[in-house]
Amino acid sequence: MNADLLELGLSGVVLAALVLLGRSLGEASGMQRIGLPAALLSGLIGLLIGPYGPVQWLPAGLTELWIPFPEVLMTLVFSTMLLGKPLPSAGSLWRPATAQLLLGLTLGFGQYLMGGLVVLGLLIPWLGVHPLMACLIEVGFEGGHGSAAVMGPIYAQWGFLGGRDLGLAMATVGLVSSVVVGSLLVILARSRGWLAESESAPEPTPLAPKTPATTEQTWLQGLERLATNLGCCGLAVLLALALQRLLLVITPNISAGLAEVVRIMPLFPLALLGSLLVQGLLERSGQSGFATPRPQAQTASLATDLLITGAMAGLNLPLLLHDWLPLAVLAGVGLAWNLLGLLLLAPRILPSPWFERGITEFGQATGVAASGLLLLGLADPDGDSDTLAPFSFKQLAMQPILAGGVITVVAPLAVESMGLPAWTGLCLAITLSFALGGLLLARSASSPSGQ
């Protein structure tokens, strides 16, 4: 037992060292200044020296210890999402948040639709791929590395043994594409006049003189702030665990299928709800200072870097080289679908400013939520569009459904039980329904009676 703990601790130290190395090189090379996350560099270094890389300094036994890390790290990321941010009133959010939810659901279910059509019409007849490959666009793009790693064992239960590595590769392609293509789209939007005009910045108010503080006092204050913020994250996770236990008790009395979904559903969608409950409790009790934005963002950033680095370092390169063609086809189709959603649907569904809201959804649907927020920062550096709050609440409603939620877990079960053609047809109907709902919502809001 002690040896196992020592090996686990050593693996964590190695993973942290890779992240530190990637961040240092990313800052020195300037890649972070152009919007590329340093975790990609950390992961690339880990991949080169990993068990399937050309150097192979990291043994397979060490990287296998990282397999349970993604779900834990994703849970930590989602526990921070609503902490440290004042909860706005629901009345001011329902229109933009509902529109963004409908667009996000259209993009998410459309990824299943596109994957099903390509696998049925092209990849199975020509290459004989596994039917569950139709799930990879949503798992890799919408869900990201955490969802791909978590869904790997579920795919393996149904005979899709390479699902984890292919999903991680798809997530990597999606993350890079969201940042690179999204940045180019922001440049295009600026030249075409799609961006909302920034309001003139107010005159800065003079800062009050700071009270002198010793280095020890500053260090202790920072440590105390970090501890209280981590405690808030821990409370959000505990609430998520309690809710998960409650669902495990209740759902067998409702439906055996629902109970199976709850049994295999990851914890991190519930952690988002836990963060909402903790933030609401802090605000009601007048203790909102316990959770502050900067430490929460730093915690989420570190957890995301660790997750991406560990996921990339353990990629099975021989398997990816064997399946590069279907992976490339699916990634191209998924990216084309998300671009179609941004350029065709977003202007017709989202309220003004449509591009700032739409590019955030594009980043989320192609990479991860952090990618969407990164692109929002490029399009709206001063925060004039008021997009962040509706996006966060949209995530609260959407996360339990897609991107590692119920549908992500149910999809492989549905493909195996009802067949890929029936599942694809169902996704077609759902995609059209959400798109039509978004268009009708926009029309009702623009009509005189809806104003």
Side-chain angles (χ1 to χ4, degrees):
M1 181 65 181
N2 291 335
D4 293 341
L5 290 176
L6 182 61
E7 291 178 359
L8 186 63
L10 177 62
S11 70
V13 171
V14 172
L15 184 58
L18 286 174
V19 170
L20 179 61
L21 179 61
R23 286 187 169 188
S24 301
L25 293 177
E27 184 175 353
S29 64
M31 63 176 291
Q32 291 174 285
R33 289 194 294 272
I34 63 175
L36 290 176
L40 288 179
L41 187 55
S42 303
L44 179 61
I45 296 171
L47 183 61
L48 293 175
I49 66 175
Y52 300 103
V55 180
Q56 299 183 358
W57 286 350
L58 300 179
L62 186 143
T63 58
E64 287 174 359
L65 293 173
W66 296 343
I67 292 176
F69 286 8
E71 184 173 1
V72 176
L73 293 170
M74 281 288 286
T75 301
L76 180 59
V77 169
F78 278 86
S79 72
T80 68
M81 284 196 68
L82 294 175
L83 288 175
K85 308 173 184 68
L87 299 178
S89 62
S92 62
L93 288 178
W94 81 267
R95 166 73 176 100
T98 303
Q100 289 186 230
L101 175 62
L102 291 171
L103 179 62
L105 290 172
T106 301
L107 293 176
F109 279 98
Q111 290 173 5
Y112 281 120
L113 170 62
M114 294 295 107
L117 291 175
V118 170
V119 170
L120 283 172
L122 184 64
L123 298 183
I124 288 181
W126 285 12
L127 301 176
V129 302
H130 197 285
L132 289 183
M133 194 169 278
C135 300
L136 288 184
I137 300 178
E138 192 276 340
V139 168
F141 278 19
E142 192 79 43
H145 291 83
S147 295
V150 170
M151 291 300 295
I154 299 175
Y155 291 147
Q157 292 178 8
W158 298 101
F160 187 27
L161 301 180
R164 176 183 178 273
D165 293 290
L166 292 174
L168 291 173
M170 184 71 75
T172 302
V173 172
L175 185 61
V176 175
S177 300
S178 67
V179 175
V180 175
V181 177
S183 301
L184 295 176
L185 288 169
V186 172
I187 296 173
L188 175 65
R190 190 171 289 117
S191 66
R192 298 294 295 271
W194 294 344
L195 297 178
E197 295 183 2
S198 299
E199 300 176 356
S200 57
E203 290 293 327
T205 56
L207 296 176
K210 293 184 178 180
T211 304
T214 65
T215 302
E216 183 178 358
Q217 288 175 329
T218 304
W219 184 83
L220 289 175
Q221 289 172 354
L223 185 61
E224 181 181 3
R225 189 180 303 113
L226 176 62
T228 54
N229 276 274
L230 288 178
C232 292
C233 295
L235 182 57
V237 174
L238 286 176
L239 290 174
L241 285 169
L243 182 57
Q244 185 184 56
R245 295 284 184 182
L246 180 63
L247 291 174
L248 288 172
V249 173
I250 294 175
T251 51
N253 300 321
I254 301 174
S255 166
L258 181 60
E260 178 66 12
V261 169
V262 171
R263 186 184 68 82
I264 61 179
M265 185 177 69
L267 181 64
F268 54 82
L270 298 176
L272 181 60
L273 179 59
S275 70
L276 172 65
L277 295 175
V278 172
Q279 181 64 25
L281 179 63
L282 291 176
E283 291 186 6
R284 284 184 173 273
S285 62
Q287 302 295 331
S288 55
F290 281 1
T292 49
R294 184 172 176 81
Q296 294 296 329
Q298 291 173 334
T299 300
S301 175
L302 177 59
T304 302
D305 284 359
L306 291 169
L307 189 155
I308 294 174
T309 302
M312 289 182 63
L315 282 177
N316 189 330
L317 289 180
L319 176 66
L320 300 183
L321 291 175
H322 180 268
D323 291 322
W324 72 269
L325 182 56
L327 189 69
V329 171
L330 287 171
V333 170
L335 181 59
W337 168 253
N338 288 345
L339 284 170
L340 183 68
L342 172 64
L343 300 177
L344 184 63
L345 291 178
R348 294 166 173 81
I349 291 179
L350 299 178
S352 180
W354 71 267
F355 184 82
E356 285 85 340
R357 302 185 192 280
I359 196 65
T360 312
E361 295 303 323
F362 172 83
Q364 154 66 41
T366 311
V368 291
S371 302
L373 298 178
L374 172 66
L375 295 177
L376 174 61
L378 295 177
D380 180 25
D382 298 323
D384 295 325
S385 64
D386 193 26
T387 298
L388 182 57
F391 176 75
S392 299
F393 275 79
K394 181 230 66 172
Q395 285 294 102
L396 183 63
M398 185 171 168
Q399 201 65 54
I401 302 173
L402 293 170
V406 173
I407 298 300
T408 305
V409 176
V410 166
L413 309 180
V415 171
E416 290 296 323
S417 60
M418 63 191 299
L420 183 56
W423 168 250
T424 304
L426 178 61
C427 289
L428 172 62
I430 295 173
T431 302
L432 292 176
S433 298
F434 283 129
L436 180 60
L439 294 172
L440 292 176
L441 176 65
R443 176 176 294 182
S444 66
S446 61
S447 65
S449 60
Q451 293 179 348

